[in-house]
């Protein structure tokens, strides 16, 4: 008994793309039904489709207010889509297989290897077990803490429901919330409990399950892998530097930090620095931020979270490799060394490829949207596009006013950002063949 599906001759990337597409279509059909909506009417398919894409990709951009427009049934469907999309449908399928004690086949291990972005199948099932354990443990603990805090503002049953929904949403780095009117966490701007719980969920979900597993083993091994060192270092630098930049840029802005005391300023600066990593929660009005701050947050969204996490973006490891390559070139070194480990040229080429493809996608989509969404500022469009690509969910307030074409374009952007540009390219491109010859080396003048 289990989910044994014959995928014919589909490659692992093709199976992952097809699986996510089917989940999105299923979610769209369910969300458009009257039972999913508070008004008891059918939701337009394009809005249901956009919401399903946003939930399954763990983004959080909303064309319909989740807290006021969807019924509890629709909200639970969105929460389940976030969970399946954030952890990966193959991870959830493995959970079902493990519950029914079914053996994981070789084909399924290959799919899991691709889904978790691993170099080999060794220990992949053990990693999936840890992924499921960490996710459920962290979400459960956060749900209880949220419920206790929210119980001061609402009946306990509602507080528990809100706690579960937001724990799932934020651990999976999604921006969906139930507070209504697209307020997110703005009513808890200076609340230490909500800020700490939320930031902890976003950071742990964005670090990646490989890093969480490595940290759990640290007591026995007394060392971290190169991957974990890079992720933790870059994540820490981005969060701290981001908070400092936001604090400086917004310190005197009366619409954001200017009206808060020192405690509120610090909480808000750190929260807005953590959120673009890639969760759409916010405690300040994004549209009221100064343009310099908005553009800086845009950069953070583009970098995103870490590999094998619930977040998107080009990833922290890619950004670290790019910075390292620049520093090595400036110093006249022919090799890139991080934490006393030399990186292969293939890693550098892959980082450059991912970044260039991401830039091409974001710029192309922003240019197209600037044509379809006339009357909207280009910074707002670029911000929305980057948020969709990074599966962040932050917005300057234009999502609800998008045209049908704009919704479809951003849906494709979210889908691409969640799966990864290379995964999509491998799925749609021809099978790789072995190169049987080498061309003569040529020389070009650069710079």
């Amino acid at each position: 008994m289990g989910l044994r599906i014959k995928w014919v001759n589909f490659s692992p990337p093709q199976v992952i793309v097809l699986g996510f597409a089917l989940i999105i279509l299923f979610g769209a059909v369910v969300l458009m039904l009257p039972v999913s909506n508070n008004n008891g009417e059918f939701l337009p398919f394009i809005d249901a489709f956009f919401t399903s894409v946003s939930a399954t990709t763990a983004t959080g951009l909303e064309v319909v207010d989740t807290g006021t427009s969807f019924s509890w049934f629709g909200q639970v469907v969105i929460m389940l889509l976030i969970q399946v999309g954030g952890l990966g449908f193959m991870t959830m399928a493995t959970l079902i297989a493990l519950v029914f004690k079914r053996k994981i086949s070789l084909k399924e291990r290959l799919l899991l290897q691709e889904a978790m972005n691993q170099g080999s199948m060794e220990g992949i099932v053990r990693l999936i077990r840890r992924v499921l354990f960490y996710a459920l443990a962290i979400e459960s603990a956060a749900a209880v803490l949220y419920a206790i805090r929210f119980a001061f503002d609402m009946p306990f049953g509602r507080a528990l429901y809100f706690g579960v929904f937001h724990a799932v949403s934020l651990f999976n780095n999604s921006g969906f919330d139930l507070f209504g009117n697209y307020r997110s966490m703005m009513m808890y701007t200076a609340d230490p409990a909500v800020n700490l719980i939320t930031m902890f969920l976003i950071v742990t979900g964005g670090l990646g399950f490989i890093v969480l597993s490595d940290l759990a083993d640290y007591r026995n091994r007394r060392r971290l892998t190169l991957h974990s060192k890079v992720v933790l270092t870059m994540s820490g630098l981005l969060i701290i530097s981001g908070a400092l930049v936001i604090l400086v840029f917004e310190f005197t802005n009366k619409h954001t930090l200017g009206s808060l005391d020192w405690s509120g300023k610090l909480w808000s600066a750190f929260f807005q620095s953590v959120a673009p990593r890639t969760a759409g929660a916010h405690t300040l009005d994004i549209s009221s931020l100064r343009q310099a701050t908005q553009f800086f947050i845009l950069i953070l969204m583009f970098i995103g979270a870490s590999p094998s996490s619930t977040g998107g973006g080009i990833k922290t490891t890619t950004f670290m490799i790019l910075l390292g390559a620049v520093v090595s070139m400036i110093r006249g070194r022919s090799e890139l060394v991080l934490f006393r480990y030399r990186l292969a040229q293939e890693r550098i080429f892959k980082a450059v490829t991912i970044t260039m493809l991401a830039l091409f996608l974001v710029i192309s989509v922003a240019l197209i949207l600037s044509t379809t969404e006339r009357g909207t500022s280009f910074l707002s469009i670029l911000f929305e596009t980057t948020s969709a690509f990074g599966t962040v969910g932050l917005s300057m307030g234009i999502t609800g006013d998008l045209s049908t074409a704009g919704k479809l374009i951003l849906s494709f952007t979210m889908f691409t950002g969640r799966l990864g540009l290379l995964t999509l390219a491998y799925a749609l491109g021809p099978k790789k063949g072995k190169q049987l010859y080498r061309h003569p080396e040529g020389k070009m003048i650069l710079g």
Side-chain angles (χ1 to χ4, degrees):
M1 190 174 183
L3 291 181
R4 189 174 296 280
I5 301 175
K6 294 185 178 180
W7 294 99
V8 196
N9 291 322
F10 290 147
S11 65
Q14 289 172 333
V15 172
I16 292 172
V17 170
L18 181 60
F20 269 99
L22 291 175
I23 292 170
I24 287 170
L25 289 175
F26 175 78
V29 172
V30 175
L31 289 176
M32 71 178 291
L33 298 176
V35 69
S36 297
N37 300 279
N38 275 330
N39 59 13
E41 299 177 358
F42 281 95
L43 183 69
F45 180 76
I46 182 60
D47 291 338
F49 178 76
F50 186 95
T51 303
S52 182
V53 173
S54 184
T56 307
T57 58
T59 302
L61 290 175
E62 301 173 88
V63 292
V64 178
D65 188 8
T66 307
T68 58
S69 298
F70 287 105
S71 65
W72 69 268
F73 178 81
Q75 292 168 356
V76 170
V77 170
I78 290 174
M79 181 177 67
L80 293 176
L81 289 174
I82 293 171
Q83 186 75 291
V84 173
L87 298 183
F89 79 95
M90 280 305 303
T91 301
M92 302 306 294
T94 303
L95 170 62
I96 297 174
L98 292 174
V99 168
F100 289 105
K101 298 181 179 180
R102 185 177 66 79
K103 186 177 181 181
I104 310 299
S105 67
L106 178 62
K107 179 71 173 180
E108 290 162 338
R109 291 171 189 266
L110 286 170
L111 289 171
L112 290 171
Q113 176 189 338
E114 180 69 27
M116 298 302 295
N117 197 21
Q118 295 294 287
S120 70
M121 291 186 295
E122 183 181 357
I124 191 66
V125 176
R126 183 172 65 254
L127 175 61
I128 295 301
R129 285 197 181 98
R130 286 193 168 192
V131 166
L132 294 168
F133 174 77
Y134 295 150
L136 295 177
I138 293 172
E139 288 174 356
S140 299
V144 172
L145 294 175
Y146 268 143
I148 294 173
R149 174 59 188 88
F150 293 155
F152 288 94
D153 305 321
M154 60 186 76
F156 183 75
R158 184 175 176 83
L160 182 60
Y161 174 59
F162 270 50
V164 172
F165 185 95
H166 291 95
V168 172
S169 176
L170 292 164
F171 177 74
N172 288 285
N173 278 213
S174 173
F176 284 95
D177 70 272
L178 299 180
F179 293 105
N181 300 316
Y182 309 103
R183 291 178 298 170
S184 189
M185 299 287 184
M186 290 178 63
M187 66 288 294
Y188 297 108
T189 299
D191 189 290
V194 174
N195 274 269
L196 282 173
I197 298 168
T198 305
M199 287 191 287
F200 175 77
L201 286 170
I202 296 171
V203 170
T204 52
L207 286 177
F209 297 108
I210 297 173
V211 176
L212 294 180
S213 179
D214 205 20
L215 289 173
D217 290 338
Y218 181 77
R219 179 180 296 180
N220 298 324
R221 298 172 55 188
R222 292 296 177 183
R223 64 185 179 86
L224 296 174
T225 63
L226 173 63
H227 173 81
S228 296
K229 290 178 181 178
V230 169
V231 167
L232 292 171
T233 301
M234 183 52 64
S235 297
L237 288 174
L238 288 173
I239 290 172
I240 294 173
S241 61
L244 289 175
V245 170
I246 293 171
L247 185 64
V248 171
F249 285 176
E250 296 297 318
F251 194 85
T252 58
N253 185 350
K254 63 180 181 179
H255 300 294
T256 55
L257 298 185
S259 60
L260 302 175
D261 57 18
W262 262 104
S263 175
K265 284 180 170 65
L266 290 175
W267 282 121
S268 298
F270 272 98
F271 194 101
Q272 264 58 233
S273 177
V274 169
R277 312 296 319 290
T278 56
H282 54 91
T283 57
L284 298 176
D285 183 4
I286 301 300
S287 62
S288 298
L289 297 172
R290 289 172 172 154
Q291 285 192 350
T293 310
Q294 291 169 343
F295 190 78
F296 179 74
I297 289 177
L298 186 151
I299 295 173
L300 293 179
M301 293 192 298
F302 184 77
I303 297 170
S306 302
S308 300
S309 71
T310 57
I314 63 171
K315 303 295 190 294
T316 53
T317 50
T318 301
F319 187 62
M320 176 69 97
I321 290 175
L322 293 177
L323 287 180
V326 170
V327 172
S328 296
M329 180 61 68
I330 292 174
R331 292 182 175 180
R333 296 176 179 176
S334 59
E335 294 181 337
L336 172 57
V337 178
L338 297 175
F339 295 99
R340 298 182 180 179
Y341 284 93
R342 174 178 55 84
L343 265 65
Q345 290 290 331
E346 178 190 359
R347 298 290 94 187
I348 302 175
F349 288 150
K350 186 173 182 178
V352 172
T353 301
I354 291 172
T355 305
M356 293 304 297
L357 287 174
L359 283 172
F360 177 79
L361 175 68
V362 169
I363 292 172
S364 299
V365 170
L367 289 175
I368 295 172
L369 288 177
S370 65
T371 302
T372 62
E373 314 304 314
R374 296 179 180 178
T376 305
S377 71
F378 186 73
L379 180 58
S380 297
I381 289 174
L382 184 61
F383 191 96
E384 196 87 1
T385 303
T386 308
S387 179
F389 164 73
T391 66
V392 181
L394 291 175
S395 174
M396 290 170 61
I398 70 171
T399 314
D401 299 323
L402 290 171
S403 64
T404 299
K407 292 173 184 176
L408 289 173
I409 294 168
L410 276 188
S411 294
F412 170 77
T413 308
M414 289 187 287
F415 186 73
T416 304
R418 175 62 183 90
L419 291 174
L421 290 159
L422 289 183
T423 297
L424 197 62
Y426 291 154
L428 301 178
K431 293 184 178 180
K432 294 181 291 183
K434 185 177 180 181
Q435 188 172 341
L436 302 177
Y437 58 90
R438 296 180 67 188
H439 291 283
E441 182 179 350
K443 293 183 179 180
M444 293 176 59
I445 299 175
L446 301 176

